[in-house]
Amino acid sequence: MTWSSGLIPMIEPEIVTQIISSISDLAVVLNTGGQILGVMTNPRFSSADDFKFWEGDAFRDHLTIESIAKFELRFKAFVETNDPVLPVELNHPGAQPDTSFPMRYTFHQIGTDGAILLLGQDLRPVWDIQQQLVAAQIALEKDYEAQRHNDTLFRVLMASTDEAAVFVALSSGEVSDCNPTASTLFGKHRNDLRGSSFASAFDAKDGRDLIDRLAAIGADADAKSMTVSTRSPKRDVVIRPTLFRVAGEQMLLCRVSLADGNHVQADTLNSNLIGLFENGIDGIVFAAKDGRILSANEAFLNQTDVTNTQELKGRAVSDFLGRGSVDMNVIFENASRNGAMRLYLTKLVSEHGSERSVEISTSSLQAGNDAAFVLVIRDANRVESSKDARSQATDVDMVSLIELIGSQSLKDIVAQTTDVVEKMCIETAVEMTSNNRVAAAEMLGLSRQSLYVKLRKYDLLKKDS
């Protein structure tokens, strides 16, 4: 019998043993009940005497707890079906307490008596490599974390210093990085400065050979600084260069300050906000929680035909709203509850009684220990459609409500005119939200179902459908 004829040649039994022990690290023969009939080991794996005492024991008794269920499931499938099954990775207890060694077993039928051969491969070399990879990954992550930590410290330091700092590549003369103070000093955004020529930020006469002169000063222990003029905005500055090398490249750290000794204001937020308040096209009003106007910009004065801000002292926001205190209460209550209220539609009444449609966005602020509100008022510039008289509160209802305002508390007014107030508020909310019932329900603090019930109650569904 030869291999070419499709038959396996006759192999002597002792040769079979050598083959099995050579191709596997640990070979175990089991009966169908999982009892160990024999054990063979590869000489390079371990001494045969180390596993000889396994014979006669149940194979599961020499597995760690987490491996028993995996083995029994795979072993049962192989015995019952006699079909090939996938290999299984199992752990055996080690010689020392709390230790184990992993093996990968394949299942083979070796006779008609039901004996089963398990060929095991030692996975410890693979496990060692995996552990090394995991350790390397952890070390790499720690390096990344340390780098991020140092980068954060660097960024915080750069952002908090009052002195402009610019990193310049000596070979190219280009700006590698800079802090916010430098952006303000040179009047350019940080992204525009990065990659640009550092010399181009200065007058032509000062920018000529600027990098070479800075490098000479940075390398000279006696020379400390040089004074030059920036291009735009025009000002005299003092540069203190420091020459250093990083990643094989020479760099310059240029600390730049005004020649007159003043600090550059890096944070321009305050001036920007003041400019928006004074020159913005939308009316901006700051009001106390009781509705009293604290301050207003020029745009609001134009919208209301008020001569100057002195005339606003002691007056309330409700004096300029079409529905007076009703509008103000809705705006302030929603802004207090949610922090802000967007696009509230109403009328703005001028000093002369003229009205215009406006959209009001309101935010709640904390001014020291007191709450305050800021209203941004934008001209809606839209024509309102005619209103159905059937959906409006009657003149008698409106007059009755107006007569009660100011003479009684809100609780008493609501108690006496519950239906009138409720209907008016629902109509107002639906109208202000352009029949967006979800937004109207949110404005009124109702669920959608409750709003529908009240719409039916006051026969408002026909109008709003």
Side-chain angles (χ1 to χ4, degrees), residues 17 103 143 379 403:
T17 302
M103 299 290 294
D143 289 341
D379 192 343
E403 291 176 349

Side-chain angles (χ1 to χ4, degrees), residues 129-252:
I129 294 175
Q130 290 175 338
Q131 290 297 104
Q132 294 174 12
L133 291 175
V134 170
Q137 181 66 28
I138 293 175
L140 190 61
E141 288 294 332
K142 289 182 178 179
D143 289 341
Y144 285 151
E145 190 64 30
Q147 182 179 354
R148 287 191 292 266
H149 175 75
N150 294 331
D151 184 69
T152 301
L153 295 179
F154 168 73
R155 297 297 173 190
V156 172
L157 178 62
M158 290 278 284
S160 60
T161 181
D162 292 333
E163 190 175 40
V166 183
F167 289 95
V168 181
L170 189 61
S171 59
S172 63
E174 294 180 351
V175 176
S176 299
D177 205 350
C178 65
N179 65 349
T181 309
S183 299
T184 304
L185 176 65
F186 294 107
K188 293 183 179 180
H189 192 272
R190 175 170 173 261
N191 292 335
D192 295 329
L193 280 175
R194 295 175 63 180
S196 66
S197 172
F198 185 57
S200 65
F202 301 92
D203 280 347
K205 62 183 182 63
D206 293 327
R208 189 180 306 113
D209 301 327
L210 177 67
I211 301 301
D212 293 337
R213 287 183 287 156
L214 290 175
I217 295 174
D220 189 351
D222 296 329
K224 298 298 182 181
S225 64
M226 63 181 296
T227 302
V228 293
S229 297
T230 59
R231 184 185 299 273
S232 178
K234 184 74 172 180
R235 60 183 72 178
D236 292 334
V237 296
V238 177
I239 304 179
R240 297 173 179 83
T242 300
L243 186 64
F244 66 98
R245 183 180 296 273
V246 59
E249 182 181 8
Q250 285 188 308
M251 300 285 295
L252 281 170

Side-chain angles (χ1 to χ4, degrees), residues 1-3 7-13 15-16:
M1 292 183 293
T2 61
W3 292 100
L7 299 175
I8 299 177
M10 294 296 297
I11 303 176
E12 298 294 332
I15 302 301
V16 174

Side-chain angles (χ1 to χ4, degrees), residues 12-30:
E12 298 294 332
E14 61 273 10
I15 302 301
V16 174
T17 302
Q18 295 177 8
I19 294 174
I20 292 176
S21 63
S22 298
I23 64 175
S24 64
D25 294 312
L26 180 63
V28 183
V29 180
L30 307 178

